[in-house]
Amino acid sequence: MPALKTAKTTFRKQPAPSYVAAHSVAVSMPIADIARFLQDNLGQRLTARMAGISDAKQVGRWASGSSNPRPEAETRLRDAIQIFHLIQSAESVYTARAWMIGMNPQLEDMAPALCIADDRARDVMVAARAYVEATDRTRAVAPTGA
């Protein structure tokens, strides 16, 4: 994060509230709840693909709390929910789902969910932030009712 310097003090630029809220969700939500949320919103197969596993039924076991994902899979699931929540906070759950599964020009026209599966969560977060910032700018300049 860039530092803002003044004569006496250095201040860190604070991330926007939606970024902080999305991060809070990703780090505080139990992994079973994350698996259930992603399974419900993106499907069991895509959630398994993002997590890097071939057995889609394993996602259901994680969601029920009967087993836990390996650390690598948990990291991908937490990344996915953070990104999903960021888009959802700017738009809707439906838009977030469409954004995650649709082609994205900032990701060489790959779906963000598939980029997460390919260990490119950081690239996906950059694209998500750009999308949210563009949405915020569009709303800021949109005319209000007549």
Side-chain angles (χ1 to χ4, degrees), residues 44-69:
Q44 200 168 42
R45 284 179 156 174
L46 184 55
T47 301
R49 174 93 189 268
M50 285 189 303
I53 61 169
S54 57
D55 180 10
K57 291 181 182 179
Q58 184 64 40
V59 174
R61 291 188 281 275
W62 296 339
S64 71
S66 64
S67 69
N68 290 313

Side-chain angles (χ1 to χ4, degrees), residues 21-142:
H23 180 257
S24 180
V25 166
V27 299
S28 65
M29 186 180 277
I31 194 63
D33 293 346
I34 291 173
R36 189 176 320 104
F37 179 88
L38 293 172
Q39 176 180 267
D40 290 349
N41 287 285
L42 297 175
Q44 200 168 42
R45 284 179 156 174
L46 184 55
T47 301
R49 174 93 189 268
M50 285 189 303
I53 61 169
S54 57
D55 180 10
K57 291 181 182 179
Q58 184 64 40
V59 174
R61 291 188 281 275
W62 296 339
S64 71
S66 64
S67 69
N68 290 313
R70 294 182 330 268
E72 305 83 31
E74 180 175 347
T75 297
R76 289 176 176 173
L77 296 176
R78 289 189 185 280
D79 291 343
I81 199 159
Q82 182 173 350
I83 293 162
F84 192 103
H85 187 74
L86 178 61
I87 299 294
Q88 181 183 345
S89 70
E91 293 283 346
S92 70
V93 68
Y94 307 106
T95 301
R97 182 183 190 288
W99 190 90
M100 291 291 284
I101 64 174
M103 290 192 305
N104 188 303
Q106 289 187 290
L107 301 169
E108 296 98 34
D109 292 327
M110 286 186 63
L114 298 180
C115 290
I116 292 169
D118 291 341
D119 289 323
R120 295 181 52 207
R122 192 171 195 178
D123 294 338
V124 177
M125 180 55 84
V126 169
R129 286 182 176 171
Y131 178 82
V132 168
E133 289 168 8
T135 300
D136 289 347
R137 280 193 304 274
T138 302
R139 287 187 181 141
V141 297

